[in-house]
Amino acid sequence: MGITRRNVLLGAGAGLLSSALPQHNAYAADSIKVGSILDNSGNLDIYGKPMVQATKLAVDEINEAGGLLGRELELIQYDTQSDIALYTKFAQQLARRDKADVVQGGITSASREAVRQTFKRANTLYFYNTLYEGGVCDRNVVCTGSTPAQANEPLVEAAMERWGKKVYILAADYNYGQITAKWLNYYVSQRGGSIAQTSFFPLDVADFGSTIARIQQESPDWVVSALVGGAHMSFYRQWAASGMNEKIPLASTTFGAGNEQGALSAGEADGILVAHNYSQELDTPANKAFLERWEAANGDTSVIHELSVGQYQGVHLWAEVVRTAGSLDRDAMLEALGSGVSIEGPTGKVSLDPQTQHAALDIQLMEVRDQKLNIISTASQRPPSDTARYCNLQEDPDSNIQYEVDI
Amino acid sequence: MDYAAIVFLEILYMISFLVLSSVGLAIVFGMMRVINLAHGEFVMLGGYTTLACHSAGINIFFAMLVIAPITVGIVGLLVERLVVRWLYGRMIDTMLATWGLSLLFVGLVTLIFGSSAVGIPTPISGYQLGSYQMGGYNLFIIGITIVLITLMWIVLRYTRVGLVARGAMQNPEVASSLGYNPKTIYMLTFTAGAAVSGLAGGVLAPLTGLLPSSGGAFIAKAFITVITGGASIITGVLSSGILFGAINQVVSFAANPVMGEIAMLVLAIVLLRLMPQGITGRFFRNST
C-alpha cells in the first residue's frame, strides 16, 4: 500500500475511530501494574524523593524498550509521607484495589515489616530495595539492598586493619540499629577485636555531648555509627565541633547511603569510612550512562544516592524476572526467582540468590572527602551470607520470618 | 578530675540550651499569658535566617546575633498585628491560631529550603581539657546565655521600659490608667519574645542542624521549662532550667541520654504536681 492521499486519510480515520472505541480502555486495563510506596514528603524524603524519581525512570526505560511481554507498564505511586500508618493503608490499596502485579518500595525496616504480611496474604510480589540489617526469609519478598555480611563485614575488616581492635558502636534504637550492632559485634570479635561499649539512640535524640565525653573516656581505636535520620546527623556535627574527628577515626554503616555527606559542611565528614553498593564516583560505562539518562529525565544528578539506585535496579531486576518467567503469574515469577536471575546495573552486576532471594552485589569501600564518596577498593559479588546462615527458601518455601542474629 | 570538669561543662551547656531555647516563650507567656505554639518555629526561622545569611557570605556571628533576631522579631511583629492581637484573653483560640501558624511556617520553609537536613559549620574549634577534647562552641552558647539573661535582668530591673513592662504584667488596668497603652506593650513584648527566639535559633543551629520540622524538637523542652518555672520570666526559666539541665546530664552520664530525657520529664511531672503554679508560684514570688 503506497502513500496516497486516500490511504493516509483512511489510516487517520481508522486511527480516530479506534481511539474513540472502548477498545482503547481495554488496552489501558491490560497494562502491567507496578506499585510503589515511598516517602515522597516528610522527614524521610531526603531518601524517598530520589527513589520516586528512580522508580519512574526505570519504568519509563522499560516502556521505551517496548514494555514487558508486549504490554505497557503502568506505575502506581503512593506517597506515604514518612508515616508508618500510611504504609499499611496504601499496601492494602495496592494489593486489594489496584491489584498490582508487583510492589517496589519501603525505606526503613519498620516500614517493610508494616507491609510485608499484607502483600504475603494477598500474594502480591514485593521488592524491598534498601540496605538493611538482613534476615528476611519470605518467598514473597525480594531484598536487593546490601546486608551486614555484604557491606559491614568488609567495612569492619578495613577499619580494623587501619586503626585497631577496640571499637565503640553507636546505633539507632530500632530493629535496624539493634541487629546491625549485633553483627558489628560479631565481625569485630571474630577478628580478635573488642567492643568498648554499644550505645543506642532513639531517632529523635539530637544531643550527643555526654556520648562524646563517654567515647573519650573509653578511648577506642575507632568508632562505628549505625545512626539513622536527620536528628542523628547532629552527632557528626558535634563530633567535628569538638575536634574529635581529628583524633578518633569514624566508620559508618549508614552514612552516605542517603547522601548525608551533602548535609554536612565540607571538612566535617572528611575521613569517615563507609562501604556501600553505590557511589556517584563509580567510573564505569554503566554508571555514566545511568547518570546521563537521569540528567535527561530529572535534571539534578547530585540527589542520586545508593537507595535510589537500589530502587532503580530493583525494578529492572523484576523486569528480568518477568522476561525469564514469560508470564505475570505469581508462581511463574517465583519459579524464575528460583532460577537465579541477574542484571547489569549502575552499581555493577546484581544477581539474585535463589536460596535467600537476596542479591549478590559489588561493594565499594569508600572514604568521604570534600562531600564525595571516594572509592578505595571494590569487593565484587559479595553474597548475602548472613541471611543464608538461617534461610533456605528452596527447602522451606513457606518461611515467613525475619531471622535475628544469635551470635 | 578532667572528667568531672567535662561533666560540669556539659551540665552548664544543657542548662544554657534549655534557658536559651525557652526564654522567648517565657517572655510571651510570663508577660501576656499567651501560649505561643509557634515558638518552636520562631526558633527554627532564626536558624534558617542564619543559614541563608551564611550561604550569602555574611559573617556568621553577625548573622546569628543581629540578623536572625531582627528578622524573626519582624515576623513576630507581623504575627502579633495580624493574628494574636485579635485573640487576647482567649487562651484556647490563641493556641489553635499559633499552632496553625506553626504549620504554615513549616510549609513555607519547606517550599523555600526543601525538607532535607542542612547544617552550618560551627565557627569555633574544639579545645583540649586534660585528656579530653571538647566542643568550643558549647562555651560560646554558655557565654551568650549568661550575657542575654544578664541584659534582660538589667532591662527589667533598672530601666524605665522594664518598670513599665513589669507594671503592665502585674496589673494592665493600672498601667493603662497611668497612660501606658497595654496594646502597645503587648505588641512590643511579643516582638521581643520572637526576637529572642530567633537569636536562640541562630545560635543553636550549628550544633543541632536544621530541618523545617526541627521546631518540634525545641518546643517540648521549652514548654516544660517555662510551665515548671512559673510566671516570673528570669527566675522561673533559670530555676527550672538549672534543675532540668542538671538532672538530664547527670543521668545521661550515669546511664544514657534516653534515661536523661526520661528523668527530666518525670521530674517535671512531680514538680507540677507539687507546685501547679510553677516554681516561682511557690518560691521567689516577687522576682522578675
Side-chain angles (χ1 to χ4, degrees):
Chain A
M1 195 159 72
I3 305 176
T4 64
R5 188 190 295 172
R6 175 186 286 177
N7 282 341
V8 168
L9 280 176
L10 197 68
L16 270 176
L17 199 66
S18 63
S19 68
L21 287 173
Q23 207 183 355
H24 184 72
N25 291 335
Y27 175 74
D30 202 27
S31 60
I32 299 172
K33 295 202 175 78
V34 180
S36 162
I37 33 174
L38 291 165
D39 302 309
N40 202 18
S41 56
N43 275 337
L44 294 173
D45 73 352
I46 179 177
Y47 306 127
K49 273 190 173 159
M51 291 173 85
V52 170
Q53 294 177 317
T55 319
K56 189 161 182 311
L57 180 62
V59 167
D60 287 349
E61 280 175 13
I62 295 168
N63 277 336
E64 274 161 32
L68 284 175
L69 313 174
R71 291 157 67 186
E72 203 178 357
L73 302 191
E74 179 192 348
L75 177 62
I76 305 171
Q77 174 76 54
Y78 288 113
D79 176 11
T80 37
Q81 300 168 28
S82 308
D83 180 354
I84 292 283
L86 288 178
Y87 270 95
T88 342
K89 180 185 159 195
F90 289 134
Q92 293 282 358
Q93 279 192 22
L94 278 168
R96 313 276 174 201
R97 196 187 67 189
D98 304 324
K99 303 210 181 308
D101 293 292
V102 67
V103 175
Q104 306 256 351
I107 301 181
T108 62
S109 292
S111 70
R112 180 199 63 240
E113 290 307 303
V115 300
R116 194 161 65 82
Q117 301 302 338
T118 305
F119 293 137
K120 177 117 186 142
R121 273 196 301 276
N123 284 333
T124 307
L125 191 62
Y126 172 49
F127 276 62
Y128 175 65
N129 303 311
T130 310
L131 76 106
Y132 87 112
E133 66 283 0
V136 169
C137 191
D138 179 344
R139 205 140 185 245
N140 195 52
V141 180
V142 179
C143 301
T144 65
S146 67
T147 61
Q150 296 176 282
N152 301 354
E153 192 174 9
L155 180 69
V156 168
E157 196 172 65
M160 283 184 77
E161 248 168 49
R162 288 176 164 214
W163 298 322
K165 288 176 182 285
K166 193 176 170 193
V167 188
Y168 197 113
I169 301 176
L170 306 169
D173 198 2
Y174 71 109
N175 52 358
Y176 170 75
Q178 297 278 359
I179 297 175
T180 303
K182 282 187 190 169
W183 281 112
L184 290 170
N185 189 342
Y186 174 68
Y187 295 132
V188 169
S189 338
Q190 208 184 25
R191 287 167 177 72
S194 64
I195 303 296
Q197 199 169 343
T198 307
S199 307
F200 293 102
F201 304 93
L203 289 176
D204 58 350
V205 169
D207 185 68
F208 291 89
S210 61
T211 309
I212 290 173
R214 180 80 62 80
I215 294 174
Q216 299 188 50
Q217 203 185 16
E218 297 284 348
S219 66
D221 293 324
W222 51 286
V223 177
V224 59
S225 119
L227 298 171
V228 175
H232 284 181
M233 292 297 289
S234 305
F235 168 73
Y236 303 103
R237 239 168 246 131
Q238 290 164 16
W239 182 255
S242 70
M244 283 308 295
N245 55 345
E246 311 280 332
K247 302 232 155 158
I248 298 181
L250 203 61
S252 173
T253 64
T254 46
F255 196 87
N259 273 345
E260 284 84 353
Q261 71 276 14
L264 293 181
S265 38
E268 280 183 324
D270 279 3
I272 298 180
L273 196 66
V274 298
H276 293 306
N277 184 214
Y278 180 73
S279 161
Q280 286 197 34
E281 313 305 314
L282 262 177
D283 193 14
T284 58
N287 184 40
K288 286 198 174 129
F290 170 71
L291 289 173
E292 270 167 28
R293 285 198 302 276
W294 182 288
E295 195 170 8
N298 303 318
D300 188 9
T301 56
S302 72
V303 299
I304 303 175
H305 46 49
E306 150 137 352
L307 304 186
S308 48
V309 178
Q311 179 80 2
Y312 172 86
Q313 294 183 150
V315 176
H316 276 294
L317 191 67
W318 164 76
E320 192 56 35
V321 168
V322 174
R323 282 185 211 111
T324 313
S327 154
L328 281 166
D329 179 52
R330 181 169 168 271
D331 290 334
M333 289 200 282
L334 288 183
E335 202 169 310
L337 280 172
S339 72
V341 175
S342 71
I343 59 160
E344 286 292 333
T347 72
K349 192 174 179 194
V350 181
S351 44
L352 256 181
D353 165 39
Q355 188 196 326
T356 55
Q357 294 191 170
H358 283 55
L361 299 164
D362 289 351
I363 297 295
Q364 316 293 340
L365 183 69
M366 300 177 281
E367 191 184 49
V368 182
R369 188 70 58 194
D370 298 329
Q371 300 186 308
K372 282 188 177 147
L373 299 176
N374 293 317
I375 298 168
I376 300 170
S377 64
T378 306
S380 70
Q381 291 301 291
R382 283 192 70 92
S385 56
D386 42 10
T387 312
R389 273 169 99 104
Y390 309 102
C391 177
N392 191 337
L393 288 165
Q394 298 295 307
E395 282 171 14
D396 180 17
D398 297 327
S399 164
N400 179 22
I401 49 170
Q402 177 178 14
Y403 287 99
E404 290 193 21
V405 28
D406 53 359
I407 32 185
Chain B
M1 186 58 218
D2 295 340
Y3 193 66
I6 295 295
V7 174
F8 180 69
L9 281 175
E10 283 293 324
I11 290 174
L12 273 189
Y13 162 70
M14 183 48 79
I15 293 169
S16 307
F17 176 90
L18 288 173
V19 169
L20 200 56
S21 60
S22 51
V23 73
L25 185 70
I27 292 174
V28 173
F29 176 70
M31 303 263 264
M32 303 156 66
R33 287 290 174 279
V34 164
I35 294 189
N36 175 20
L37 282 178
H39 170 71
E41 278 62 38
F42 284 167
V43 177
M44 177 271 290
L45 283 177
Y48 272 98
T49 310
T50 310
L51 174 77
C53 293
H54 176 65
S55 326
I58 298 170
N59 179 292
I60 186 159
F61 289 108
F62 185 70
M64 66 174 64
L65 297 175
V66 180
I67 302 178
I70 290 177
T71 312
V72 181
I74 292 170
V75 172
L77 179 66
L78 289 174
V79 166
E80 201 274 343
R81 284 290 91 184
L82 296 175
V83 181
V84 176
R85 72 166 162 150
W86 308 106
L87 302 169
Y88 285 131
R90 292 153 60 187
M91 188 178 270
I92 303 289
D93 297 351
T94 324
M95 287 170 74
L96 203 61
T98 48
W99 186 55
L101 277 173
S102 78
L103 297 179
L104 175 75
F105 287 137
V106 172
L108 285 177
V109 170
T110 310
L111 274 183
I112 300 171
F113 293 95
S115 59
S116 313
V118 283
I120 305 168
T122 40
I124 297 173
S125 58
Y127 64 94
Q128 188 84 25
L129 200 157
S131 54
Y132 291 90
Q133 185 79 27
M134 293 307 290
Y137 196 73
N138 290 11
L139 291 183
F140 174 72
I141 288 182
I142 296 170
I144 287 285
T145 311
I146 294 172
V147 171
L148 179 71
I149 293 296
T150 314
L151 275 180
M152 279 176 58
W153 185 71
I154 291 172
V155 168
L156 280 174
R157 203 78 215 177
Y158 296 108
T159 65
R160 186 85 195 160
V161 178
L163 187 67
V164 172
R166 279 186 295 145
M169 179 174 138
Q170 277 171 10
N171 196 327
E173 282 82 17
V174 174
S176 176
S177 71
L178 290 173
Y180 297 102
N181 186 353
K183 286 186 175 167
T184 317
I185 296 172
Y186 285 164
M187 180 182 83
L188 293 175
T189 309
F190 198 88
T191 309
V196 172
S197 308
L199 174 80
V203 172
L204 293 173
L207 279 187
T208 55
L210 283 171
L211 271 173
S213 57
S214 49
F218 293 110
I219 199 157
K221 283 181 187 158
F223 261 103
I224 59 165
T225 309
V226 170
I227 302 295
T228 314
S232 302
I233 299 168
I234 294 178
T235 329
V237 168
L238 273 184
S239 53
S240 59
I242 288 170
L243 277 177
F244 289 150
I247 191 127
N248 183 323
Q249 285 300 26
V250 167
V251 178
S252 287
F253 273 100
N256 58 50
V258 183
M259 293 307 293
E261 301 262 295
I262 293 175
M264 184 171 108
L265 293 171
V266 169
L267 179 69
I269 294 169
V270 172
L271 283 178
L272 279 177
R273 175 65 191 84
L274 296 176
M275 296 177 270
Q277 296 300 311
I279 297 171
T280 50
R282 172 77 60 89
F283 306 105
F284 324 111
R285 291 185 70 153
N286 292 315
S287 55
T288 35

